[in-house]
Amino acid sequence: MIKYVIILFISIFSLKCDPNDCEDLLCFTPPNPFQFEILDKNSAENLYVLGELSPNDVKVYESNSGVPREFSFIEENGFNIISIHSIGWETEKVELTLELSKELLFTLYVEAKRTNENCCSFTKYNEITIQPFEYELNKSNDIYQVYIP
């Protein structure tokens, strides 16, 4: 009799834990924000910390249409970065202009694909370019360091 109870329990449990059933699984990964630290190419010093750029002058907009895009400037304990959270929530190609001052700007191009695998949704970035300046991604904090000559 005990064998039948165990078999019944295992059968019910295996039916309830169907790996194809995503209804009860909470697995959503939001896209990473795009964060930029603006550095002097020669000294690698942050241009906002040096006072050469002002956070009040920063503008972010669609390159083709000029429509403003939401961003935040994080200024805390010598940590001065521009952060954009609106890219990658859907499959899209985005080209933004980041205006740091009236004379100084760069473009960000992103090709994002929103994907769903094993009941989990997440964003894959197929292409990311920043022009015309040199840049690198600091993998320890996911901040793009943009070097201004």
Side-chain angles (χ1 to χ4, degrees):
M1 179 72 174
I2 283 265
K3 285 184 185 180
Y4 294 116
V5 171
I6 292 174
I7 292 172
L8 180 64
F9 178 77
I10 292 173
S11 298
I12 291 171
F13 184 76
S14 66
L15 288 174
K16 195 167 186 145
C17 295
D18 182 356
N20 296 321
D21 184 17
C22 297
E23 225 174 83
D24 296 328
L25 183 63
L26 296 176
C27 184
F28 172 78
T29 304
N32 288 337
F34 282 86
Q35 298 181 335
F36 305 94
E37 183 177 24
I38 311 303
L39 303 173
D40 178 81
K41 184 177 179 180
N42 297 321
S43 68
E45 294 286 329
N46 187 299
L47 292 176
Y48 292 100
V49 172
L50 293 174
E52 293 186 27
L53 293 175
S54 170
N56 298 327
D57 293 334
V58 176
K59 296 177 184 162
V60 178
Y61 50 88
E62 301 274 344
S63 297
N64 294 329
S65 67
V67 173
R69 283 295 280 260
E70 190 175 318
F71 73 95
S72 57
F73 189 90
I74 301 169
E75 184 176 23
E76 206 171 285
N77 298 329
F79 189 68
N80 295 273
I81 62 167
I82 301 165
S83 183
I84 303 170
H85 294 272
S86 61
I87 301 173
W89 289 94
E90 60 188 11
T91 297
E92 62 183 337
K93 292 180 184 178
V94 176
E95 186 173 316
L96 301 179
T97 297
L98 284 82
E99 187 175 305
L100 309 175
S101 69
K102 291 194 187 281
E103 304 82 35
L104 189 59
L105 47 94
F106 66 90
T107 56
L108 167 67
Y109 176 80
V110 178
E111 202 174 293
K113 180 174 171 86
R114 196 70 187 161
T115 305
N116 193 332
E117 290 179 11
N118 299 324
C119 300
C120 296
S121 62
F122 57 94
T123 302
K124 287 184 182 179
Y125 295 108
N126 296 326
E127 185 177 347
I128 299 170
T129 58
I130 298 171
Q131 293 188 2
F133 304 116
E134 291 179 30
Y135 67 93
E136 65 184 357
L137 176 62
N138 181 332
K139 293 185 181 186
S140 68
N141 58 15
D142 283 335
I143 295 176
Y144 288 91
Q145 296 172 317
V146 181
Y147 297 97
I148 308 294

